[in-house]
Amino acid sequence: MSTAVVVEAPGRHRLTGHEPVPPGAGEALVRVHAVGICGSDREVYQGNRPEGYVRYPLTPGHEWSGTVEEVGAGVPGTLVGRKVVGEGFRNCQVCDRCHAGETTLCTAGYEETGFTRPGAMAATLTLPARLLHVLPDDADLTAAALLEPAACIAAAALKANARPGERVAVVGTGTLGMFAVQFLAAGSPAELLVVGTRPDRATLSKDFGATGFRTRDQELPGDFDVVIETAGSASAARTSAALLRRGGRLVLTGIPAPGAEGLDPTDLVVRQLEVHTVFGAPPAAWAHTVRVFGAGLLNPLPLVTHELPLAEFPRAIELVGSGDPQVGKVLLRP
């Protein structure tokens, strides 16, 4: 019998037998190839995810890739055998926000694979087929397991609307930061600066298309057209705003600790800065990500440093929170 990870309550988990859930009408059953772990999975395990954004007991796993094994009534049989990734937000499809394509703002309430619904830390995952995005037949499924965080950054890139020849910057050098570099590089900027706290990320940043790299303690310019922030701290948000010219565009994706100081509203108004935020990825961002990935403009594989079996879930959680610069993206393989 195959296995699944179940987090019973904060700090308590077990490996349990897993039986595939037959797909009902409109659903698909996916054989999971790999599932990524991010900071939000660590929050689930530690018990510090915000109230209402997790439901125990729970099989985590919202970043995943796999192959469709079976479909339910009303789903095209041509999906069987196709490589796929899938959206996490279980939106209602009928509220005004869903009709506007803003499914992460669904007014029916928050429901997401791996947080309030069973996730992909199991041999299979059954979910609505409408959430699936089909990959090219030759897609690398290990790389594709990172397309969920990439889609979140695609949402930021679409909001930033960087035009060819503009000067752009990324603040943060983690997984999200490296994806932001790749999305912005694909738009032919005149300059692409990466700002972070880890000098060891300079080479990788430039491999992905950055033209410059500075640490936050170095002197920073202040005349960029677009900045995407991915670091998740109040200081990173302020650093990002300071990089912008008057009238520049800022997209915040990181979530600082509660109570963190925010941006200076006087500065925002006087310099007429345009500020956007991103929480999750709507369908348009997912579609954009899959297109860019399929075109070979997005390369997640260099970000993967560890691949472990499901049984090593505790070690994977420990690695993600270790702060070790040698730890990048950690994947579990059911």
Side-chain angles (χ1 to χ4, degrees), residues 124-135:
T124 67
L125 173 65
T126 300
L127 73 167
R130 62 183 170 80
L131 299 177
L132 298 179
H133 290 262
V134 177
L135 302 171

Side-chain angles (χ1 to χ4, degrees), residues 153-202:
I153 292 301
L158 290 172
K159 286 192 174 186
N161 192 27
R163 303 168 183 100
E166 287 192 312
R167 301 177 69 238
V168 301
V170 173
V171 174
T173 56
T175 298
L176 297 184
M178 295 300 96
F179 278 135
V181 171
Q182 295 182 66
F183 276 112
L184 290 174
S188 302
E191 181 180 353
L192 202 177
L193 175 68
V194 175
V195 178
T197 58
R198 291 177 51 184
D200 62 296
R201 294 296 249 187

